[in-house]
Amino acid sequence: MNNMPQRLVFFALGIVINSFGVALITLGNLGTSAISSVPYVCSLQFPMFSFGVTTFIWNILLILLQVVLLRRDFKPFQFLQIMVNVLFSAMIDVSMAILGVLHPTMLWEQFLCIGLGCVALAFGIVIELAPNVVVVPGEGVVRAIAKVSGVRVGTVKAVFDITLIIIAAVLSLIFFHGLRGVGIGTVISAVLVGPIINIVNRVFTFQHCIQALALSRDGR
């Protein structure tokens, strides 16, 4: 298919940037991103499993949920999400290792980590979506729920993120009798990433060049 190698490169780049964004938010030590909150809390409770490993397991569950929801509408190519999961999960551990030298202790340092993580996550999402290759498991399950329920994707996404935060908070209370891995940083990332994506799409044009690769493939 025309331009597929280039599109895959940009898609992978977006996934890598996403992982660094999640790691930055997490290292702010005020909670991680909503989509990563459940696996992160589990990684704290079961330290024999890295954040990347629990992320991989969690995303496999999200892919299986799509299969259950969509049934025959779940197309074979959507199993490519497994490969996406492998890359993202591996890069989570790599990002946490590389950025592990950061030990923000002052509140402004923690908020700076969260802010930079939100910006990185927003840029990563824009780059990841532009090639129109395959969705990540988190987005895939949101689209699946929207399709079977008839509810708009944006609404499902908001409810889905809130649900993940609640699940992570409940698990944290069960495991630690307090909140660990979930906090103000989780809320900030949930609130900020969407608006930052909108700003990126308004201010920058690089994503249109990436999108053009997909349009060229389709002959439009």
Side-chain angles (χ1 to χ4, degrees), residues 7-134:
R7 292 165 64 195
L8 289 173
V9 168
F10 281 116
F11 178 77
L13 175 63
I15 295 296
V16 170
I17 296 174
N18 282 347
S19 72
F20 274 89
V22 170
L24 273 170
I25 295 170
T26 305
L27 291 170
N29 202 30
L30 293 173
T32 188
S33 64
I35 191 65
S36 298
S37 57
V38 174
Y40 184 57
V41 170
C42 290
S43 73
L44 295 177
Q45 171 65 12
F46 306 103
M48 70 287 294
F49 299 115
S50 69
F51 187 11
V53 170
T54 55
T55 296
F56 177 82
I57 295 170
W58 174 247
N59 283 333
I60 288 295
L61 293 177
L62 294 183
I63 294 170
L64 292 176
L65 179 57
Q66 293 175 57
V67 174
V68 171
L69 289 172
L70 296 176
R71 300 183 183 181
R72 294 181 179 178
D73 288 334
F74 187 88
K75 306 303 180 185
F77 79 89
Q78 291 174 282
F79 281 112
L80 289 174
Q81 292 179 56
I82 296 174
M83 299 304 298
V84 175
N85 186 22
V86 170
L87 174 62
F88 180 66
S89 301
M91 287 308 303
I92 284 285
D93 281 345
V94 171
S95 302
M96 292 292 287
I98 292 175
L99 298 175
V101 295
L102 300 176
H103 299 286
T105 55
M106 302 293 288
L107 193 58
W108 71 267
E109 294 174 329
Q110 293 176 295
F111 279 116
L112 179 61
C113 276
I114 294 169
L116 292 175
C118 288
V119 171
L121 193 55
F123 269 93
I125 291 172
V126 170
I127 295 172
E128 163 212 317
L129 293 177
N132 191 27
V133 177
V134 65

